[in-house]
């Protein structure tokens, strides 16, 4: 998939049964991994715009927290290292909905890199650098949170996002994309379109809450 840089930004949550890093299952039985650069259509790195900020509460420390070096000697993964995919399973009966954001290392830079900690998430009104929706982002702890080292091409990692779906049809302006900034990365975000079909439906409204977990190994 060809990538390009534009001026923009991106957003996500956690909960339900986890299927995770290094080869887990996606929520709702959806496919969880891309191979050889087969990323979700439209996902690409974008340059973050100045002045766009997210509201974050409940920041956690300990394993997987964004507190400094990754402890492995490897560089942090950048947006250009990865192809991304976001698949969801929404519930309309009050139970939490869940989305799995997965990344696969591409061949742009074959040196190892590490994903360690929480991604930064933004919900965007559009898929081309639209304005950020006022959505609360809450970081939650999770068993299995740990640095994920991606070797060469094909290395795989993921994290979960959870939210409460806003009615059968949303009933409000819903996001057109999520912007994800990787832990300890530079100014690039990975932008992934949402609400383009049932497998990536994310029906949330302004001032709703997204819960996000750190990268880790949730396969056990």
């Amino acid at each position: 998939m060809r990538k390009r840089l534009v001026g923009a930004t991106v957003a996500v949550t956690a909960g339900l049964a986890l299927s995770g890093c290094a080869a887990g299952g996606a929520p709702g039985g959806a496919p969880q991994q891309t191979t050889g650069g087969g990323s979700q259509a439209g996902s690409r790195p974008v340059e973050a715009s100045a002045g766009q900020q997210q509201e974050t509460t409940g920041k956690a420390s300990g394993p997987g927290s964004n507190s400094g070096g990754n402890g492995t000697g490897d560089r942090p993964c950048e947006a250009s290292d990865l192809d991304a995919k976001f698949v969801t399973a929404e519930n309309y009966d009050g139970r939490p909905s869940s989305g799995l954001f997965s990344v696969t290392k591409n061949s742009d830079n074959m040196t190892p890199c590490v994903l360690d900690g929480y991604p930064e998430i933004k919900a965007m009104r559009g898929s081309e650098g639209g304005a950020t929706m006022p959505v609360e982002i809450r970081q939650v702890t999770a068993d299995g949170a740990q640095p994920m080292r991606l070797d060469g091409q094909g290395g795989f990692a993921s994290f979960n996002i959870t939210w409460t779906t806003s009615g059968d049809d949303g009933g409000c302006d819903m996001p057109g994309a999520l912007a994800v900034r990787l832990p300890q990365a530079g100014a690039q975000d990975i932008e992934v379109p949402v609400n383009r079909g049932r497998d990536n439906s994310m029906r949330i409204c302004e001032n709703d809450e997204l819960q996000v977990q750190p990268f880790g190994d949730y396969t056990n």
Side-chain angles (χ1 to χ4, degrees):
M1 185 196 76
R2 185 172 66 88
K3 296 182 178 181
R4 62 191 181 88
L5 299 179
V6 300
T9 27
V10 199
V12 285
T13 80
L16 293 183
L18 300 175
S19 51
C21 303
Q32 84 278 15
Q33 183 171 357
T34 58
T35 58
S39 62
Q40 176 171 306
S43 68
R44 54 189 170 79
V46 296
E47 200 70 29
S49 301
Q52 288 185 323
Q53 300 177 351
Q54 71 174 43
E55 181 181 358
T56 304
T57 61
K59 290 187 177 181
S61 60
S65 64
N66 275 341
S67 58
N70 57 51
T72 68
D74 295 310
R75 64 187 179 87
C77 293
E78 298 285 345
S80 58
D81 290 314
L82 306 171
D83 295 328
K85 187 173 184 178
F86 185 57
V87 293
T88 68
E90 284 203 299
N91 296 306
Y92 303 100
D93 57 2
R95 291 178 298 150
S97 295
S98 180
L100 180 73
F101 190 94
S102 60
V103 293
T104 306
K105 194 159 188 310
N106 59 38
S107 60
D108 288 358
N109 186 334
M110 295 297 287
T111 62
C113 65
V114 171
L115 294 166
D116 182 14
Y118 290 92
E120 295 182 18
I121 305 301
K122 296 186 183 75
M124 314 302 293
R125 296 188 186 280
S127 60
E128 291 287 339
T132 303
M133 290 177 61
V135 174
E136 182 177 0
I137 307 300
R138 184 158 70 92
Q139 295 176 346
V140 296
T141 58
D143 292 339
Q146 64 182 50
M148 298 298 296
R149 187 178 191 267
L150 306 186
D151 296 315
Q153 184 176 0
F156 178 76
S158 65
F159 62 87
N160 280 271
I161 298 167
T162 56
W163 64 95
T164 300
T165 296
S166 302
D168 288 344
D169 60 357
C172 61
D173 292 333
M174 295 180 292
L178 287 181
V180 176
R181 183 169 299 183
L182 303 173
Q184 304 171 26
Q188 278 190 6
D189 297 333
I190 300 175
E191 186 177 89
V192 179
V194 297
N195 289 315
R196 301 296 177 87
R198 292 186 62 85
D199 64 344
N200 79 336
S201 176
M202 193 177 195
R203 298 178 179 184
I204 60 171
C205 298
E206 292 185 2
N207 303 315
D208 284 351
E209 179 183 273
L210 299 178
Q211 297 182 0
V212 59
Q213 292 176 338
F215 283 100
D217 183 358
Y218 306 117
T219 58
N220 296 322

